[in-house]
Amino acid sequence: MTTNTMRLDILPNDVLLMIFDHCDEHDLLRLSEVCSRFYDLVRRSDMTWIKKRKQFLVTNQMSERFRERCNTILPPRSTCFVSQKWQYGIYRKEMVFTQKTKLMPWLRLTNDILWWCGGNELLGFGRKRTMIDSTYGNNHYTGEIYTGGDICKFVPWKDFVICGYTNGAISYFLKRYGKNKCCIVKLLLNNDSSVNAIDATSENVIAGLESGTIKIQRHPDMDTSERNVYNVSETCVNLRDKVRSLSVDPTGVKFAVGSAGTTQDIPPLHVIDIESHTEIDTMRHKWRHGAGILDMVWDDPNTLLTCGYDTYIRKWDLRTERCVSKWVDPTDASLYCISSDHRYTMVTGTQYNCLAVLWDQRKTDFVQLYYVNMRESSRRSPIYSIQFDNTHLYCATDKHVIELNFSGRLHQKFDYKAMYIPLDKHHRMRINY
């Protein structure tokens, strides 16, 4: 007597793909090891991963703003494997740039250039368009030196990089790729205080000053030959507290400002309408004294992420004017900077030990830790600025810019989360060497 046994591997490909669609990524990876046919279906078929990649950390690539800064758009079948490397700390570490003087630098990332400022220097590092490596050196853009002050913050805008200085000046660097040189074409000289934060819309440059003043100024006329500009159309908003961060929302109709939080009865978070120059949202929150906001990023026009001295990432919903989620740093450190993929992923730079932290907004605990120090002497530096795309993480410490590359093969594993244990009910962590 014969018995007919149903076997999974005799089913046609379209039926198998329907079954695989109900498996999570971990099960799919196991299935890919069963036989060569399953390997081809799982690892080489985009259909298996198209739906699932929307759920992945870092590599979901759902936001257009995130894709604009990605050096390479990952194919669907690669998104899971690269995401797993982020979560388990599998990467190659490289030095992009180093200098001798300790500074408080700032980074911004586009799909072809990593921009850095420190002191009075502005540098751009070209990114090679491949998911295997990033190449620096020959693709190196240098900004003209302005001796009037140091650059505090900058923002790429169209064909320019707009920089704010400690002496109150604002410069427009024109990017000249053919000569690897960025020259100052306009210099606004009408601010009387350090430009601590800066952002731009299509019509305005918005500067947050140390004095607590926010200036909304029209971009200068780029067609004139005049370099130094003393009179531009401007509107001032006085917060009466030192500005620490500023960011325009994706629609360009409003901006958020983070202040030091040291002035009594002045909250550290403000949302201001660009046209009316008035505060349009007041976040209902019980603020601690000194809970200054050092960095912020808009996930969408109604959702703002902030971080700062109080050791928390906070997610704000402008429709309810409330903090709807919060995440505390595992080492109880101040958070100097934050970057987001505008969906689930957040990465923060902390006050101590060159430590970056990976977060998933769907979870309450952190996902992974990255110690990015290159030398023992730099272990105590904060990460002052942080940027990432789907395959690379860039961190600026006091002396170095370090790249973590999560693409490619045969990378070493640095699973620092596995070495941490909770200390108390608030989930503060310490390393368990």
Side-chain angles (χ1 to χ4, degrees):
M1 184 174 65
T2 59
T3 303
N4 292 327
T5 303
M6 293 298 296
R7 291 168 41 195
L8 192 64
D9 61 350
I10 66 173
L11 296 175
N13 287 351
D14 56 344
V15 176
L16 285 173
L17 288 173
M18 291 177 63
I19 295 173
F20 291 173
D21 191 46
H22 294 279
C23 299
D24 61 25
E25 59 268 24
H26 301 287
D27 291 335
L28 286 173
L29 292 176
R30 295 190 193 98
L31 283 168
S32 69
E33 299 172 351
V34 171
C35 61
S36 59
R37 184 182 175 211
F38 284 10
Y39 180 90
D40 288 339
L41 283 173
V42 171
R43 302 248 178 177
R44 298 178 183 175
S45 172
D46 287 349
M47 293 300 296
T48 311
W49 300 103
I50 285 175
K51 292 182 180 179
K52 298 185 186 306
R53 68 175 176 174
K54 298 178 181 180
Q55 306 300 318
F56 294 149
L57 274 187
V58 189
T59 60
N60 62 74
Q61 305 169 157
M62 295 298 295
S63 166
E64 181 179 351
R65 286 191 294 152
F66 184 59
R67 291 195 302 272
E68 285 176 351
R69 73 172 188 254
C70 290
N71 181 246
T72 302
I73 302 300
L74 293 172
R77 61 184 176 274
S78 300
T79 54
C80 173
F81 308 108
V82 177
S83 181
Q84 292 289 311
K85 288 185 176 184
W86 279 87
Q87 294 177 61
Y88 291 101
I90 302 171
Y91 54 83
R92 183 175 71 248
K93 185 189 301 185
E94 292 185 5
M95 181 83 72
V96 177
F97 172 70
T98 187
Q99 46 84 44
K100 295 181 180 179
T101 307
K102 289 186 176 182
L103 301 169
M104 296 179 64
W106 187 248
L107 290 177
R108 277 298 174 260
L109 184 66
T110 66
N111 62 4
D112 57 347
I113 300 177
L114 173 69
W115 293 101
W116 173 92
C117 76
N120 60 3
E121 289 188 286
L122 174 69
L123 302 177
F125 302 91
R127 308 178 68 200
K128 186 177 178 181
R129 289 183 175 276
T130 169
M131 66 172 288
I132 303 301
D133 294 295
S134 289
T135 300
Y136 309 96
N138 293 331
N139 275 347
H140 186 184
Y141 304 94
T142 304
E144 176 185 347
I145 298 296
Y146 169 60
T147 58
D150 290 341
I151 302 173
C152 294
K153 298 287 177 64
F154 67 89
V155 58
W157 177 74
K158 296 184 178 179
D159 291 329
F160 302 89
V161 178
I162 308 175
C163 299
Y165 291 81
T166 52
N167 69 342
I170 296 175
S171 69
Y172 285 72
F173 283 90
L174 176 63
K175 297 178 281 188
R176 291 182 175 177
Y177 298 105
K179 298 180 180 179
N180 287 6
K181 183 73 175 179
C182 300
C183 62
I184 298 176
V185 293
K186 295 293 177 183
L187 194 62
L188 307 185
L189 298 170
N190 59 335
N191 296 317
D192 56 1
S193 181
S194 174
V195 180
N196 289 347
I198 194 165
D199 206 347
T201 68
S202 59
E203 297 180 350
N204 302 289
V205 57
I206 305 173
L209 309 183
E210 175 75 12
S211 62
T213 300
I214 300 164
K215 287 195 174 182
I216 305 171
Q217 306 172 85
R218 292 288 182 180
H219 294 297
D221 185 357
M222 297 300 175
D223 295 329
T224 65
S225 59
E226 180 186 18
R227 171 165 160 157
N228 292 349
V229 181
Y230 293 90
N231 298 310
V232 294
S233 176
E234 66 176 39
T235 302
C236 296
V237 179
N238 190 0
L239 292 185
R240 296 181 291 131
D241 196 10
K242 298 175 182 178
V243 175
R244 290 290 176 259
S245 55
L246 185 152
S247 182
V248 175
D249 89 302
T251 64
V253 300
K254 58 182 178 291
F255 64 93
V257 180
S259 62
T262 55
T263 302
Q264 190 174 6
D265 299 327
I266 303 295
L269 180 59
H270 313 263
V271 181
I272 298 171
D273 181 83
I274 293 176
E275 290 299 323
S276 65
H277 320 128
T278 57
E279 192 160 351
I280 56 176
D281 289 293
T282 303
M283 300 301 151
R284 288 173 282 181
H285 186 74
K286 188 175 181 179
W287 296 98
R288 288 168 44 193
H289 181 74
I293 296 173
L294 298 178
D295 201 8
M296 57 176 59
V297 61
W298 292 89
D299 263 356
D300 59 57
N302 294 310
T303 307
L304 179 69
L305 301 172
T306 65
C307 69
Y309 289 123
D310 68 351
T311 75
Y312 280 91
I313 305 171
R314 298 188 186 275
K315 182 177 181 177
W316 304 91
D317 188 331
L318 271 65
R319 292 163 296 192
T320 62
E321 298 184 349
R322 294 183 183 275
C323 175
V324 292
S325 297
K326 62 181 180 180
W327 300 265
V328 65
D329 181 73
T331 60
D332 201 25
S334 295
L335 300 176
Y336 279 31
C337 50
I338 185 170
S339 188
S340 169
D341 70 348
H342 312 299
R343 189 165 175 85
Y344 301 127
T345 313
M346 304 178 294
V347 184
T348 52
T350 67
Q351 180 182 6
Y352 304 121
N353 301 324
C354 300
L355 176 62
V357 186
L358 175 67
W359 304 87
D360 185 342
Q361 292 191 27
R362 297 163 295 185
K363 300 180 180 180
T364 57
D365 199 6
F366 69 96
V367 176
Q368 188 53 267
L369 306 171
Y370 311 113
Y371 285 92
V372 303
N373 56 296
M374 297 297 292
R375 298 187 180 95
E376 186 68 23
S377 60
S378 67
R379 289 193 64 175
R380 296 183 182 275
S381 171
I383 293 179
Y384 288 105
S385 188
I386 201 163
Q387 293 280 277
F388 72 93
D389 67 1
N390 50 15
T391 56
H392 294 79
L393 174 66
Y394 298 95
C395 304
T397 66
D398 54 2
K399 290 187 175 183
H400 310 291
V401 177
I402 299 104
E403 172 200 81
L404 304 187
N405 183 353
F406 297 87
S407 61
R409 300 179 180 177
L410 302 177
H411 292 170
Q412 189 174 351
K413 186 174 183 179
F414 303 91
D415 190 1
Y416 289 113
K417 183 177 183 180
M419 305 170 69
Y420 272 66
I421 58 174
L423 282 179
D424 57 37
K425 64 181 180 179
H426 298 295
H427 301 290
R428 301 296 196 271
M429 302 293 209
R430 68 176 173 83
I431 198 162
N432 186 28
Y433 287 110

